[in-house]
Amino acid sequence: LKRDHFCGVKLVRGAYYNQDFKHNILFDKIEDTHYNYDSALTFFSKNNKLNDNLICATHNENSIDLAVDLIKNNQLNNIEFAHLMGMSDKLSNKLAKNYVTYKYLPFGNFKDTLPYLIRRLYENYPMISNLLK
């Protein structure tokens, strides 16, 4: 594939099942979401060019493990990680020892940021049990 541009990708797992009535493009099963996200990681690892960059924005440990394996097996240095501040801090700290890892903080007024944060908790409900550890 020839191209005269670079790609910068932020691959986000976020999916709002209850907000997709208009377009109906989201998956009904979480397994399909996982498969699609992981397939996109694999696609990038096989098709990236010099100066392309991907930010793997997910708290899903299986997808993060896949990204790390792709980095190691393909000798990539253009995959980075991003997590919401306050979530997956142990995982972020572990990743930051070897990879570029960002913590992002939503910014805005209370009316706009609270629904966003609630959606993040809803999407990452399995992690809530880890908050108390």
Side-chain angles (χ1 to χ4, degrees):
L1 176 66
K2 290 186 177 185
R3 56 181 159 97
D4 60 355
H5 60 278
F6 306 120
C7 291
V9 178
K10 179 180 178 189
L11 188 58
V12 179
R13 185 182 299 274
Y16 315 129
Y17 297 116
N18 60 345
Q19 294 183 351
D20 186 41
F21 299 120
K22 182 177 179 181
H23 301 288
N24 195 30
I25 57 174
L26 297 179
F27 298 110
D28 293 327
K29 297 182 214 159
I30 191 68
E31 295 82 13
D32 294 338
T33 300
H34 295 326
Y35 176 80
N36 186 271
Y37 190 94
D38 293 346
S39 295
L41 283 173
T42 302
F43 180 85
F44 179 86
S45 74
K46 291 179 180 177
N47 295 286
N48 72 93
K49 304 287 184 196
L50 183 66
N51 295 322
D52 288 347
N53 196 44
L54 178 129
I55 295 177
C56 183
T58 182
H59 299 100
N60 182 284
E61 290 189 51
N62 292 330
S63 293
I64 291 169
D65 289 343
L66 172 62
V68 168
D69 287 344
L70 291 169
I71 290 168
K72 290 177 181 177
N73 294 336
N74 298 296
Q75 300 175 334
L76 300 173
N77 62 359
N78 58 347
I79 296 179
E80 302 171 347
F81 298 91
H83 295 144
L84 180 63
M85 184 170 284
M87 294 183 76
S88 300
D89 289 341
K90 288 181 183 179
L91 183 55
S92 300
N93 291 333
K94 180 181 173 185
L95 283 168
K97 292 177 183 175
N98 298 302
Y99 308 102
V100 175
T101 305
Y102 302 95
K103 292 300 261 189
Y104 68 93
L105 177 66
F107 178 80
N109 66 46
F110 183 75
K111 182 180 175 184
D112 293 331
T113 55
L114 187 61
Y116 171 83
L117 292 170
I118 289 171
R119 286 193 306 266
R120 297 283 81 74
L121 284 173
Y122 172 76
E123 292 167 358
N124 295 290
Y125 68 89
M127 289 187 352
I128 294 172
S129 63
N130 294 326
L131 293 175
L132 303 174
K133 290 183 181 179

